[in-house]
Coordinates of all heavy atoms in Angstrom, one line a residue:
M1 N 21.3 37.7 58.1 CA 20.6 38.6 59.0 C 19.7 39.5 58.1 O 20.2 40.0 57.1 CB 21.7 39.4 59.7 CG 21.1 40.5 60.6 SD 22.4 41.3 61.5 CE 22.3 43.0 60.7
D2 N 18.5 39.6 58.5 CA 17.6 40.5 57.8 C 17.7 41.9 58.4 O 17.8 42.1 59.7 CB 16.1 39.9 57.9 CG 15.9 38.7 57.2 OD1 16.7 38.4 56.3 OD2 15.0 37.9 57.5
A3 N 17.6 42.9 57.6 CA 17.5 44.3 58.1 C 16.5 45.0 57.4 O 16.2 44.8 56.2 CB 18.9 44.9 57.8
V4 N 15.9 46.0 58.0 CA 15.0 46.9 57.4 C 15.7 48.2 57.1 O 16.2 48.9 58.0 CB 13.8 47.2 58.4 CG1 12.8 48.2 57.8 CG2 13.1 45.8 58.8
I5 N 15.6 48.6 55.8 CA 16.3 49.9 55.4 C 15.3 50.6 54.5 O 14.4 50.2 54.0 CB 17.7 49.6 54.7 CG1 17.3 48.8 53.4 CG2 18.6 48.9 55.5 CD1 18.6 48.7 52.5
N6 N 15.6 51.9 54.5 CA 14.8 52.8 53.6 C 15.5 52.7 52.3 O 16.7 53.0 52.1 CB 14.9 54.2 54.2 CG 14.1 55.2 53.3 OD1 14.2 55.2 52.1 ND2 13.3 56.0 54.0
I7 N 14.7 52.4 51.2 CA 15.3 52.3 49.9 C 15.9 53.5 49.3 O 16.9 53.5 48.7 CB 14.1 51.7 48.9 CG1 13.7 50.4 49.3 CG2 14.7 51.7 47.5 CD1 14.8 49.3 49.3
G8 N 15.2 54.7 49.7 CA 15.8 56.0 49.2 C 17.1 56.2 49.8 O 18.1 56.6 49.2
S9 N 17.3 55.9 51.1 CA 18.5 56.0 51.8 C 19.6 55.1 51.2 O 20.8 55.5 51.1 CB 18.4 55.7 53.3 OG 17.6 56.7 53.9
F10 N 19.2 53.9 50.9 CA 20.1 53.0 50.2 C 20.6 53.5 48.9 O 21.8 53.4 48.6 CB 19.4 51.6 50.1 CG 20.3 50.6 49.4 CD1 21.3 50.0 50.0 CD2 20.0 50.2 48.1 CE1 22.1 49.1 49.3 CE2 20.7 49.3 47.4 CZ 21.8 48.7 48.0
L11 N 19.7 54.0 48.1 CA 20.1 54.5 46.8 C 21.1 55.8 47.0 O 22.0 55.9 46.2 CB 18.9 54.9 45.9 CG 18.1 53.7 45.4 CD1 16.9 54.2 44.7 CD2 18.9 52.9 44.4
N12 N 20.7 56.6 47.9 CA 21.6 57.7 48.2 C 23.0 57.3 48.7 O 24.0 57.8 48.2 CB 21.0 58.6 49.3 CG 19.9 59.4 48.9 OD1 19.6 59.6 47.6 ND2 19.0 59.8 49.8
F13 N 23.0 56.2 49.5 CA 24.3 55.6 49.9 C 25.1 55.0 48.7 O 26.3 55.3 48.5 CB 24.1 54.5 50.8 CG 25.3 53.7 51.2 CD1 26.3 54.2 52.0 CD2 25.4 52.4 50.7 CE1 27.5 53.5 52.3 CE2 26.5 51.6 51.1 CZ 27.6 52.2 51.8
V14 N 24.4 54.3 47.8 CA 25.1 53.8 46.6 C 25.6 54.9 45.7 O 26.8 54.8 45.3 CB 24.1 52.8 45.8 CG1 24.7 52.5 44.5 CG2 23.8 51.6 46.7
N15 N 24.8 55.9 45.5 CA 25.2 57.0 44.7 C 26.4 57.8 45.3 O 27.2 58.4 44.6 CB 24.0 58.0 44.4 CG 23.1 57.3 43.4 OD1 23.5 56.6 42.6 ND2 21.8 57.6 43.6
S16 N 26.5 57.8 46.6 CA 27.6 58.6 47.2 C 29.0 57.8 47.1 O 29.9 58.5 47.5 CB 27.2 58.8 48.7 OG 27.3 57.6 49.5
M17 N 28.9 56.6 46.8 CA 30.1 55.8 46.7 C 30.9 56.0 45.5 O 32.0 55.4 45.2 CB 29.8 54.3 46.9 CG 29.2 54.0 48.2 SD 28.6 52.4 48.5 CE 29.7 51.3 47.7
S18 N 30.4 56.8 44.5 CA 31.1 57.1 43.3 C 31.6 55.9 42.5 O 32.7 55.6 42.2 CB 32.4 58.1 43.5 OG 33.4 57.4 44.2
L19 N 30.6 55.0 42.3 CA 30.8 53.8 41.6 C 30.8 54.0 40.1 O 30.0 54.8 39.7 CB 29.8 52.7 42.0 CG 29.8 52.3 43.4 CD1 28.5 51.4 43.7 CD2 31.0 51.6 43.9
S20 N 31.5 53.2 39.4 CA 31.4 53.3 37.9 C 30.1 52.8 37.4 O 29.5 52.0 38.1 CB 32.6 52.6 37.2 OG 32.3 51.2 37.4
P21 N 29.6 53.2 36.2 CA 28.3 52.7 35.7 C 28.4 51.2 35.6 O 27.4 50.5 35.8 CB 28.2 53.4 34.3 CG 29.0 54.6 34.5 CD 30.2 54.3 35.4
K22 N 29.5 50.7 35.2 CA 29.7 49.2 35.0 C 29.4 48.5 36.4 O 28.7 47.5 36.4 CB 31.0 48.8 34.5 CG 31.3 47.4 34.2 CD 32.6 47.2 33.6 CE 32.8 45.7 33.2 NZ 34.1 45.5 32.6
V23 N 30.0 49.1 37.5 CA 29.9 48.4 38.8 C 28.4 48.6 39.3 O 27.8 47.7 39.9 CB 30.8 49.0 39.8 CG1 30.6 48.6 41.2 CG2 32.2 48.7 39.4
K24 N 27.8 49.8 39.0 CA 26.4 49.9 39.3 C 25.5 49.0 38.7 O 24.5 48.4 39.2 CB 25.9 51.4 39.0 CG 26.4 52.4 40.0 CD 25.9 53.8 39.7 CE 26.5 54.9 40.6 NZ 25.9 56.2 40.2
R25 N 25.7 48.7 37.4 CA 25.0 47.7 36.6 C 25.2 46.4 37.2 O 24.2 45.6 37.4 CB 25.4 47.7 35.1 CG 24.7 46.6 34.4 CD 25.0 46.6 32.9 NE 24.6 47.8 32.2 CZ 23.4 48.0 31.7 NH1 22.5 47.1 31.8 NH2 23.0 49.1 31.1
W26 N 26.5 46.0 37.6 CA 26.6 44.7 38.2 C 25.9 44.6 39.5 O 25.3 43.5 39.8 CB 28.2 44.5 38.5 CG 28.4 43.2 39.2 CD1 28.7 42.0 38.6 CD2 28.5 43.0 40.6 NE1 29.0 41.1 39.6 CE2 28.8 41.7 40.8 CE3 28.4 43.9 41.7 CZ2 28.9 41.1 42.1 CZ3 28.5 43.3 43.0 CH2 28.8 41.9 43.1
L27 N 25.9 45.5 40.3 CA 25.2 45.6 41.6 C 23.7 45.3 41.4 O 23.1 44.6 42.0 CB 25.5 46.9 42.4 CG 24.8 47.0 43.7 CD1 25.2 45.9 44.6 CD2 25.1 48.3 44.4
G28 N 23.2 46.1 40.4 CA 21.7 46.0 40.1 C 21.4 44.6 39.6 O 20.4 44.0 40.0
E29 N 22.2 44.0 38.7 CA 21.9 42.7 38.1 C 22.1 41.6 39.2 O 21.3 40.6 39.3 CB 22.9 42.5 37.0 CG 22.6 43.2 35.7 CD 23.6 43.1 34.7 OE1 24.7 42.5 34.9 OE2 23.3 43.6 33.6
R30 N 23.0 41.9 40.1 CA 23.2 40.9 41.3 C 22.0 40.9 42.2 O 21.5 39.9 42.6 CB 24.5 41.2 42.0 CG 24.8 40.3 43.1 CD 25.2 39.0 42.5 NE 25.3 38.0 43.6 CZ 25.2 36.7 43.4 NH1 25.0 36.2 42.2 NH2 25.3 35.9 44.4
L31 N 21.5 42.1 42.5 CA 20.3 42.2 43.3 C 19.1 41.6 42.7 O 18.4 40.8 43.3 CB 20.0 43.7 43.7 CG 21.0 44.4 44.6 CD1 20.7 45.9 44.6 CD2 20.8 43.8 46.0
I32 N 18.9 41.7 41.3 CA 17.8 41.1 40.6 C 18.0 39.6 40.6 O 17.0 38.9 40.9 CB 17.7 41.6 39.2 CG1 17.3 43.1 39.2 CG2 16.9 40.8 38.3 CD1 17.4 43.8 37.8
H33 N 19.2 39.1 40.5 CA 19.4 37.7 40.5 C 19.1 37.1 41.8 O 18.4 36.0 41.9 CB 20.9 37.4 40.2 CG 21.3 36.0 40.2 ND1 21.0 35.1 39.3 CD2 22.0 35.3 41.2 CE1 21.5 33.8 39.6 NE2 22.1 34.0 40.8
E34 N 19.5 37.7 42.9 CA 19.2 37.2 44.2 C 17.7 37.2 44.5 O 17.2 36.3 45.2 CB 20.0 38.0 45.3 CG 21.5 37.6 45.3 CD 22.3 38.3 46.4 OE1 21.7 38.8 47.4 OE2 23.5 38.3 46.3
A35 N 17.1 38.3 44.1 CA 15.6 38.4 44.3 C 14.9 37.3 43.6 O 13.9 36.7 44.1 CB 15.1 39.7 43.8
K36 N 15.3 37.0 42.4 CA 14.7 35.9 41.6 C 14.9 34.5 42.3 O 14.0 33.7 42.4 CB 15.2 35.9 40.2 CG 14.7 36.9 39.3 CD 15.2 36.8 37.9 CE 14.7 37.9 37.0 NZ 15.3 37.8 35.6
E37 N 16.1 34.3 42.8 CA 16.4 33.1 43.6 C 15.4 33.0 44.8 O 14.9 31.9 45.1 CB 17.8 33.0 44.0 CG 18.8 32.7 42.9 CD 20.2 32.6 43.4 OE1 20.5 33.1 44.5 OE2 21.0 32.1 42.6
E38 N 15.3 34.0 45.5 CA 14.5 34.1 46.7 C 13.0 33.8 46.4 O 12.3 33.1 47.0 CB 14.6 35.4 47.5 CG 15.9 35.6 48.2 CD 16.1 36.9 48.9 OE1 15.0 37.5 49.2 OE2 17.2 37.3 49.1
E39 N 12.5 34.4 45.3 CA 11.1 34.2 44.8 C 11.0 32.7 44.4 O 9.9 32.2 44.7 CB 10.8 35.1 43.7 CG 10.7 36.6 44.0 CD 10.6 37.5 42.8 OE1 10.9 37.0 41.6 OE2 10.2 38.6 43.0
A40 N 11.9 32.2 43.7 CA 11.8 30.8 43.4 C 11.8 29.8 44.6 O 11.0 28.9 44.6 CB 13.0 30.4 42.5
K41 N 12.6 30.1 45.6 CA 12.6 29.4 46.8 C 11.2 29.5 47.5 O 10.7 28.4 48.0 CB 13.7 29.8 47.7 CG 15.1 29.4 47.4 CD 16.1 29.9 48.3 CE 17.5 29.6 47.8 NZ 18.6 30.1 48.7
L42 N 10.6 30.7 47.6 CA 9.4 30.9 48.2 C 8.3 30.1 47.4 O 7.4 29.4 48.0 CB 9.0 32.3 48.3 CG 9.8 33.1 49.3 CD1 9.4 34.6 49.2 CD2 9.4 32.7 50.8
E43 N 8.3 30.2 46.1 CA 7.4 29.4 45.3 C 7.5 27.9 45.5 O 6.4 27.3 45.7 CB 7.6 29.8 43.8 CG 6.6 29.2 42.9 CD 6.7 29.7 41.5 OE1 7.4 30.6 41.2 OE2 6.1 29.0 40.6
Y44 N 8.7 27.5 45.6 CA 8.9 26.1 45.8 C 8.4 25.6 47.2 O 7.7 24.6 47.3 CB 10.4 25.7 45.7 CG 10.8 24.3 46.0 CD1 10.5 23.3 45.1 CD2 11.3 24.0 47.3 CE1 10.9 22.0 45.4 CE2 11.6 22.6 47.5 CZ 11.4 21.6 46.6 OH 11.7 20.4 46.9
K45 N 8.6 26.5 48.2 CA 8.1 26.1 49.6 C 6.6 26.1 49.5 O 5.9 25.3 50.2 CB 8.6 27.1 50.6 CG 10.1 26.9 50.9 CD 10.6 27.9 51.9 CE 12.0 27.7 52.2 NZ 12.5 28.7 53.3
E46 N 6.0 27.1 48.8 CA 4.5 27.1 48.8 C 3.9 25.9 48.1 O 3.0 25.3 48.6 CB 4.0 28.4 48.0 CG 4.3 29.6 48.8 CD 4.0 30.9 48.0 OE1 3.6 30.8 46.8 OE2 4.1 32.0 48.6
K47 N 4.6 25.5 46.9 CA 4.1 24.3 46.3 C 4.3 23.0 47.1 O 3.5 22.1 47.1 CB 4.9 24.2 44.9 CG 4.4 25.1 43.9 CD 5.2 24.9 42.6 CE 4.7 25.9 41.6 NZ 5.5 25.8 40.3
L48 N 5.5 23.0 47.8 CA 5.7 21.8 48.7 C 4.7 21.8 49.8 O 4.3 20.7 50.2 CB 7.2 21.9 49.2 CG 7.8 20.8 49.8 CD1 7.8 19.6 48.8 CD2 9.2 21.0 50.3
G49 N 4.4 22.9 50.3 CA 3.4 22.9 51.4 C 2.0 22.5 50.9 O 1.3 21.7 51.6
L50 N 1.7 22.9 49.7 CA 0.3 22.5 49.1 C 0.4 21.0 48.9 O -0.6 20.3 49.2 CB 0.1 23.2 47.9 CG -1.2 22.8 47.1 CD1 -2.4 23.1 47.9 CD2 -1.2 23.6 45.8
L51 N 1.5 20.5 48.3 CA 1.6 19.1 48.1 C 1.6 18.3 49.4 O 1.0 17.2 49.4 CB 2.9 18.8 47.3 CG 3.2 17.3 47.0 CD1 2.1 16.8 46.1 CD2 4.5 17.2 46.3
G52 N 2.2 18.8 50.4 CA 2.2 18.2 51.7 C 0.8 18.1 52.3 O 0.5 17.0 52.9
S53 N 0.0 19.1 52.1 CA -1.3 19.1 52.6 C -2.2 18.2 51.9 O -3.1 17.5 52.4 CB -1.9 20.5 52.6 OG -2.1 20.9 51.3
I54 N -2.0 18.0 50.6 CA -2.8 17.1 49.7 C -2.3 15.7 50.1 O -3.1 14.7 50.2 CB -2.6 17.4 48.2 CG1 -3.2 18.7 47.9 CG2 -3.1 16.2 47.4 CD1 -2.9 19.2 46.5
A55 N -1.0 15.4 50.1 CA -0.5 14.1 50.3 C -0.6 13.7 51.8 O -0.4 12.5 52.2 CB 0.9 14.0 49.9
G56 N -0.8 14.6 52.7 CA -0.9 14.4 54.1 C -1.9 13.2 54.5 O -1.7 12.5 55.4
S57 N -3.0 13.2 53.7 CA -4.0 12.2 54.0 C -3.5 10.8 53.6 O -4.0 9.8 54.1 CB -5.3 12.6 53.3 OG -5.0 12.5 51.8
W58 N -2.5 10.7 52.8 CA -1.9 9.4 52.5 C -0.6 9.1 53.2 O 0.0 8.0 53.0 CB -1.5 9.5 50.9 CG -2.7 9.6 50.0 CD1 -3.2 10.7 49.4 CD2 -3.5 8.6 49.6 NE1 -4.2 10.4 48.7 CE2 -4.5 9.1 48.7 CE3 -3.6 7.2 49.9 CZ2 -5.5 8.3 48.1 CZ3 -4.6 6.4 49.3 CH2 -5.5 7.0 48.5
S59 N -0.2 10.0 54.2 CA 1.1 9.8 54.8 C 1.2 8.5 55.5 O 2.3 7.9 55.7 CB 1.3 10.9 55.7 OG 0.4 11.0 56.8
D60 N 0.1 7.9 56.0 CA 0.2 6.7 56.8 C -0.2 5.4 56.0 O -0.4 4.4 56.5 CB -0.7 6.7 58.1 CG -2.1 7.1 57.7 OD1 -2.4 7.4 56.6 OD2 -3.0 6.8 58.6
V61 N -0.3 5.6 54.6 CA -0.7 4.5 53.8 C 0.5 4.1 52.9 O 1.2 5.0 52.3 CB -1.8 4.9 52.9 CG1 -2.2 3.8 51.9 CG2 -3.0 5.4 53.7
D62 N 0.7 2.8 52.8 CA 1.8 2.4 51.9 C 1.4 2.5 50.4 O 0.3 2.7 50.1 CB 2.2 0.9 52.2 CG 1.1 0.0 51.9 OD1 1.0 -0.5 50.7 OD2 0.3 -0.3 52.8
I63 N 2.4 2.5 49.5 CA 2.2 2.9 48.1 C 1.2 1.8 47.4 O 0.4 2.2 46.6 CB 3.5 2.9 47.4 CG1 3.3 3.5 46.0 CG2 4.2 1.5 47.3 CD1 2.9 4.9 45.9
D64 N 1.3 0.6 47.8 CA 0.4 -0.4 47.2 C -1.1 -0.2 47.5 O -2.0 -0.3 46.7 CB 0.7 -1.8 47.6 CG 2.2 -2.3 47.1 OD1 2.5 -1.8 45.9 OD2 2.8 -3.0 47.7
T65 N -1.3 0.2 48.8 CA -2.7 0.5 49.2 C -3.2 1.8 48.5 O -4.3 1.9 48.1 CB -2.7 0.8 50.7 OG1 -2.2 -0.4 51.4 CG2 -4.2 1.1 51.2
M66 N -2.3 2.7 48.3 CA -2.6 4.0 47.6 C -3.0 3.7 46.1 O -4.0 4.1 45.6 CB -1.4 5.0 47.6 CG -1.8 6.3 47.1 SD -0.3 7.4 47.0 CE 0.3 7.4 48.7
K67 N -2.2 2.9 45.5 CA -2.5 2.5 44.1 C -3.8 1.8 44.0 O -4.6 2.1 43.0 CB -1.4 1.6 43.5 CG -0.1 2.3 43.2 CD 0.9 1.3 42.6 CE 2.3 1.9 42.3 NZ 3.2 1.0 41.9
L68 N -4.1 0.9 44.9 CA -5.3 0.1 44.8 C -6.5 1.1 45.1 O -7.5 1.0 44.3 CB -5.3 -1.0 45.9 CG -6.5 -1.9 46.0 CD1 -6.7 -2.6 44.6 CD2 -6.4 -2.8 47.1
S69 N -6.4 2.0 46.0 CA -7.5 2.9 46.2 C -7.8 3.8 45.0 O -8.9 4.1 44.7 CB -7.2 3.9 47.4 OG -7.0 3.2 48.6
I70 N -6.7 4.2 44.3 CA -6.9 5.1 43.1 C -7.5 4.2 42.0 O -8.5 4.7 41.3 CB -5.6 5.7 42.7 CG1 -5.1 6.7 43.7 CG2 -5.7 6.3 41.2 CD1 -3.7 7.1 43.4
Q71 N -7.1 3.0 41.8 CA -7.7 2.2 40.8 C -9.1 1.9 41.1 O -10.0 1.8 40.2 CB -6.9 0.8 40.7 CG -5.5 1.0 40.1 CD -4.7 -0.2 40.1 OE1 -4.9 -1.1 40.9 NE2 -3.6 -0.2 39.4
E72 N -9.5 1.6 42.4 CA -10.8 1.3 42.8 C -11.7 2.5 42.5 O -12.8 2.3 42.1 CB -10.9 0.8 44.2 CG -10.4 -0.6 44.5 CD -10.3 -1.0 45.9 OE1 -10.6 0.0 46.7 OE2 -10.1 -2.1 46.2
G73 N -11.1 3.7 42.8 CA -11.9 4.9 42.6 C -12.3 5.1 41.1 O -13.3 5.6 40.8
R74 N -11.4 4.8 40.2 CA -11.6 4.9 38.8 C -12.6 3.9 38.3 O -13.3 4.2 37.3 CB -10.3 4.7 38.1 CG -9.3 5.9 38.2 CD -8.0 5.7 37.5 NE -7.1 6.8 37.6 CZ -5.8 6.7 37.4 NH1 -5.3 5.6 36.9 NH2 -5.1 7.7 37.6
Q75 N -12.7 2.8 38.9 CA -13.6 1.7 38.5 C -15.0 1.9 39.1 O -15.9 1.2 38.7 CB -13.0 0.3 38.9 CG -11.7 0.0 38.1 CD -11.1 -1.2 38.6 OE1 -11.6 -1.8 39.6 NE2 -9.9 -1.6 38.0
S76 N -15.2 2.8 40.0 CA -16.5 2.9 40.7 C -17.4 3.7 39.8 O -17.1 4.3 38.8 CB -16.3 3.6 42.1 OG -16.0 4.9 41.9
D77 N -18.7 3.7 40.3 CA -19.7 4.5 39.6 C -19.6 6.0 39.8 O -20.3 6.8 39.2 CB -21.1 4.0 40.1 CG -21.4 2.6 39.5 OD1 -20.8 2.2 38.5 OD2 -22.2 1.9 40.2
D78 N -18.7 6.4 40.7 CA -18.5 7.8 41.0 C -18.2 8.6 39.8 O -18.6 9.8 39.6 CB -17.4 8.0 42.0 CG -17.9 7.5 43.4 OD1 -19.1 7.3 43.6 OD2 -17.0 7.3 44.2
M79 N -17.4 8.0 38.8 CA -17.0 8.7 37.7 C -18.2 9.0 36.8 O -18.3 10.0 36.0 CB -16.0 7.9 36.9 CG -14.7 7.7 37.5 SD -13.9 9.3 37.9 CE -13.3 9.8 36.2
N80 N -19.3 8.2 36.8 CA -20.4 8.4 36.0 C -21.3 9.5 36.6 O -22.2 10.0 35.9 CB -21.3 7.1 35.9 CG -20.4 6.0 35.2 OD1 -19.7 6.3 34.3 ND2 -20.7 4.8 35.5
K81 N -21.1 9.8 37.8 CA -21.9 10.8 38.5 C -21.4 12.3 38.2 O -22.2 13.2 38.5 CB -22.0 10.6 40.0 CG -22.7 9.3 40.4 CD -22.6 9.0 41.9 CE -23.3 7.7 42.3 NZ -23.1 7.4 43.6
I82 N -20.3 12.4 37.7 CA -19.7 13.7 37.4 C -20.4 14.3 36.2 O -20.4 13.6 35.2 CB -18.2 13.6 37.3 CG1 -17.6 13.1 38.5 CG2 -17.6 15.0 36.9 CD1 -16.1 12.8 38.4
M83 N -20.8 15.4 36.3 CA -21.6 16.1 35.2 C -20.8 17.3 34.7 O -20.1 17.9 35.5 CB -23.0 16.5 35.6 CG -23.9 15.4 35.9 SD -25.5 15.9 36.5 CE -26.0 17.2 35.5
M84 N -20.9 17.7 33.5 CA -20.3 18.9 33.0 C -21.1 20.1 33.7 O -22.3 20.0 33.9 CB -20.4 19.0 31.5 CG -19.7 17.9 30.8 SD -17.9 17.9 31.1 CE -17.4 19.3 30.1
F85 N -20.3 21.2 33.9 CA -21.0 22.4 34.5 C -22.1 23.0 33.7 O -23.0 23.5 34.1 CB -19.9 23.5 34.7 CG -19.0 23.1 35.9 CD1 -17.7 22.8 35.7 CD2 -19.4 23.0 37.2 CE1 -16.8 22.5 36.7 CE2 -18.6 22.7 38.3 CZ -17.3 22.4 38.0
D86 N -22.0 22.8 32.3 CA -23.0 23.5 31.5 C -24.2 22.6 31.3 O -25.3 23.0 30.7 CB -22.5 23.8 30.1 CG -21.8 22.7 29.4 OD1 -21.7 21.6 30.0 OD2 -21.4 22.8 28.2
E87 N -24.2 21.3 31.8 CA -25.4 20.4 31.7 C -26.3 20.7 32.9 O -25.9 21.1 33.9 CB -25.0 19.0 31.8 CG -24.1 18.5 30.6 CD -23.8 17.0 30.8 OE1 -24.2 16.4 31.8 OE2 -23.0 16.6 30.0
K88 N -27.6 20.5 32.6 CA -28.6 20.8 33.7 C -29.4 19.6 34.0 O -29.5 18.7 33.4 CB -29.5 21.9 33.2 CG -28.8 23.2 33.1 CD -29.8 24.3 32.8 CE -29.0 25.6 32.6 NZ -29.7 26.8 32.6

């Protein structure tokens, strides 16, 4: 369940609980650990979404056709048409 809380009120609540410094450190480290896990999950979902959008055009093509298309693209003259950005 997601909840919206005021961070200042949360800190006041934690301080009012008379926790030992060791327990406060544990709580802080646990919050940091969970935040890192959530960030990693979000980053993974973003990358997966990007990959899905890139691979989406291939979704109805079997792997052999995909390999053949890539090989044909490498053998075409299109590679010769690519110029460096600093060339005029």
Side-chain angles (χ1 to χ4, degrees):
M1 178 175 111
D2 293 335
V4 177
I5 60 169
N6 181 314
I7 297 299
S9 297
F10 175 73
L11 288 175
N12 289 339
F13 170 72
V14 170
N15 289 329
S16 72
M17 294 171 42
S18 67
L19 301 173
S20 71
K22 186 176 180 178
V23 172
K24 285 182 182 180
R25 177 179 292 277
W26 176 88
L27 179 60
E29 289 172 353
R30 186 68 190 157
L31 288 170
I32 290 170
H33 176 76
E34 288 186 17
K36 286 181 180 179
E37 284 181 347
E38 289 178 22
E39 289 171 346
K41 286 178 185 177
L42 287 174
E43 185 177 342
Y44 176 77
K45 285 181 182 180
E46 289 172 359
K47 287 180 180 179
L48 195 59
L50 178 62
L51 182 61
S53 67
I54 292 171
S57 61
W58 293 99
S59 62
D60 58 344
V61 179
D62 64 89
I63 191 69
D64 294 326
T65 304
M66 187 184 308
K67 285 180 183 178
L68 183 62
S69 296
I70 292 170
Q71 290 171 343
E72 288 174 351
R74 289 182 181 162
Q75 295 170 358
S76 72
D77 291 334
D78 293 339
M79 293 301 288
N80 296 329
K81 296 177 185 175
I82 298 173
M83 295 176 43
M84 299 296 288
F85 287 112
D86 57 353
E87 292 180 9
K88 293 186 181 194

